[in-house]
Amino acid sequence: MTRAPRTVYLDHAATTPMVPAAVEAMSAHLLEVGNASSLHASGRRARRVVEESRETIAQALDCRPGEVVFTSGGTEADNLALKGVFWSRRTADPRRVRILSTGIEHHAVLDPLHWLTEPRDGHPGATVELLPVDRDGRLEVAALRETLERSPDDVALISVMWANNEVGTLQPITEVVEVARAYGVPVHTDAVQAVGAVPVDFAAVGVDALTLTGHKVGGPYGVGALLARRELELTALLHGGGQERDVRSGTIDVPAIAGFAAAVELAVKEQAAYAARVGALRDRLVAGVLGAVPDAVLNGAAPDAAGIDRLPGNAHFSFPDCEGDSLLMLLDAQGIECSTGSACSAGVPQPSHVLLALGRSEDEARSSLRFSLGHTSTVEDVDALVAAIGPCVDRARSAGLR
Ligand SMILES: Cc1ncc(COP(=O)(O)O)c(C=O)c1O
């Protein structure tokens, strides 16, 4: 009998396995009854779990418990931040129609931004300005400063991600906040990929809103949060029972929130050790892949001496003369799972909007693959990829898979 090949999971940026602490915390509440809005003892017990979880997350990320708004994940938190702040700020001052962001944001930011540009209900749409990034995918803060200086009074908000999900580059969030503060413009950051990977401190960095999600930090799917400063006006997207300070109605998912909080607490506690261990694995992977395929190009910022400027678990390459999707399938046949990071609609591979924003050609963008490591990754995983990548690239090239 032939044994199925071991799965080598190198797609932790897409989703990472739950940690046992989160499974335990979640399971402990799955069989308990009680709506956290009910007034009886079971309801109060459920409410206590939610409020303790809120405190755990607030302590881990340095915000006030009342600033944690639970959502169904990163996509909802991004939508709430962008639409909620835009609508509130434009209502307060109809001149505020500009939103400043970057072309490398996740679709959970870019698509609501695009949606907001359309006129609705008698209001003109937003004007979205996507600021330039350099070849490593780092926002050019000078461009932000310049556009704000030129016309500060019509800006509703700024949204810049903390860490890019495709190429792993960290953004200069502290500088963004400094520039924005001078003009009193709120800043939202999508920190979905950053929490647990790099230090994230809501109060210290001074952003007004921050997105995180459970399934990227070892928690369950379908739960996340928007950290939103209490002073930040947010128009609700979901109306109903008035949960989550009337910003996000809907019966609260108590077990998921308990699992989420346990995962965030552990991820933040272990962040430094994680970054050291996974960063070393990433360096081994990068050296191994470049050794096996010398003309491969590492995309994104190079890690600096302290291993920062790039997510510790991210390695993103272009393989000239290869189609990323074909290479992905060849690796998958060997049990090695990774991602192109780009959307594939109707079976036609689309070049990644992130790579295009970094100034790459469509061919370069289409020849890219992302390998992302996480808390369960091992040296054996990395070595399996390093052994397989050369022959797979040769096969993709000789078969003319492009
Ligand atoms: C940077 C970033 N933002 C938002 C999301 C969406 O989060 P969720 O899957 O929880 O909706 C993702 C998920 O891939 C992401 O990587």
Side-chain angles (χ1 to χ4, degrees):
M1 207 174 83
T2 51
R3 274 225 327 254
R6 186 175 77 91
T7 298
V8 175
Y9 186 72
L10 297 176
D11 201 13
H12 289 263
T15 196
T16 198
M18 279 182 74
V19 292
V23 175
E24 268 169 41
M26 188 167 177
S27 314
H29 301 291
L30 280 171
L31 287 173
E32 283 173 0
V33 73
N35 184 321
S37 300
S38 296
L39 296 178
H40 48 61
S42 296
R44 293 198 304 275
R45 196 164 45 235
R47 166 62 61 187
R48 200 157 44 244
V49 173
V50 173
E51 295 316 321
E52 283 169 8
S53 301
R54 204 186 299 283
E55 278 169 32
T56 300
I57 290 174
Q59 205 160 40
L61 297 172
D62 194 16
C63 66
R64 289 179 279 179
E67 292 174 326
V68 180
V69 179
F70 288 116
T71 66
S72 64
T75 302
E76 188 193 329
D78 282 341
N79 272 263
L80 175 59
L82 300 169
K83 296 172 185 168
V85 174
F86 175 72
W87 286 330
S88 296
R89 298 254 305 158
R90 190 190 56 186
T91 302
D93 183 344
R95 286 177 305 167
R96 292 185 193 134
V97 291
R98 273 167 84 216
I99 305 177
L100 310 180
S101 189
T102 77
I104 59 161
E105 301 298 312
H106 190 272
H107 278 292
V109 166
L110 286 180
D111 290 19
L113 287 184
H114 178 70
W115 185 86
L116 282 169
T117 60
E118 288 158 27
R120 264 189 197 87
D121 298 334
H123 293 284
T127 308
V128 174
E129 227 173 283
L130 299 181
L131 298 163
V133 295
D134 65 17
R135 275 190 71 79
D136 290 338
R138 199 173 149 89
L139 169 70
E140 292 176 10
V141 179
L144 171 67
R145 187 176 292 111
E146 199 210 303
T147 192
L148 263 178
E149 260 168 21
R150 206 171 347 106
S151 178
D153 298 334
D154 57 357
V155 181
L157 82 144
I158 297 167
S159 183
V160 174
M161 70 199 321
W162 195 301
N164 182 262
N165 50 298
E166 286 190 36
V167 297
T169 303
L170 301 179
Q171 297 302 322
I173 292 299
T174 310
E175 290 169 63
V176 169
V177 171
E178 260 169 41
V179 174
R181 274 235 177 106
Y183 298 99
V185 177
V187 176
H188 163 250
T189 187
D190 177 335
V192 159
Q193 297 286 343
V195 172
V198 293
V200 172
D201 184 315
F202 183 75
V205 80
V207 290
D208 299 274
L210 181 149
T211 293
L212 69 152
T213 192
H215 72 108
K216 312 278 190 188
V217 292
Y221 300 103
V223 63
L226 183 70
L227 309 186
R229 245 176 231 295
R230 282 213 80 97
E231 309 75 43
L232 185 71
E233 293 287 335
L234 272 177
T235 301
L237 308 191
L238 300 182
H239 302 90
Q243 289 89 346
E244 297 301 281
R245 57 191 237 215
D246 217 6
V247 167
R248 200 276 181 181
S249 287
T251 299
I252 294 176
D253 188 340
V254 181
I257 284 173
F260 176 39
V264 170
E265 183 177 36
L266 188 69
V268 170
K269 194 169 116 214
E270 301 204 332
Q271 181 273 321
Y274 166 92
R277 189 184 80 79
V278 171
L281 285 180
R282 185 266 325 273
D283 293 345
R284 182 183 181 104
L285 187 155
V286 170
V289 168
L290 292 177
V293 187
D295 61 344
V297 177
L298 179 69
N299 296 308
D304 64 15
I308 49 179
D309 260 10
R310 183 183 188 107
L311 287 174
N314 175 290
H316 186 283
F317 298 92
S318 296
F319 295 97
D321 301 322
C322 278
E323 184 69 69
D325 291 80
S326 308
L327 197 48
L328 184 149
M329 295 319 293
L330 288 166
L331 287 168
D332 189 39
Q334 310 275 318
I336 298 172
E337 298 177 334
C338 63
S339 160
T340 58
S342 61
C344 179
S345 64
V348 182
Q350 301 292 320
S352 145
H353 68 277
V354 172
L355 272 278
L356 296 180
L358 266 58
R360 305 302 196 273
S361 67
E362 292 209 359
D363 270 358
E364 286 170 315
R366 259 197 283 268
S367 71
S368 301
L369 276 191
R370 176 187 72 188
F371 305 105
S372 51
L373 301 156
H375 65 96
T376 55
S377 297
T378 60
V379 170
E380 289 72 33
D381 291 340
V382 170
D383 292 350
L385 170 69
V386 170
I389 190 74
C392 283
V393 167
D394 287 347
R395 242 186 99 193
R397 285 177 177 163
S398 64
L401 293 176
R402 54 164 303 127

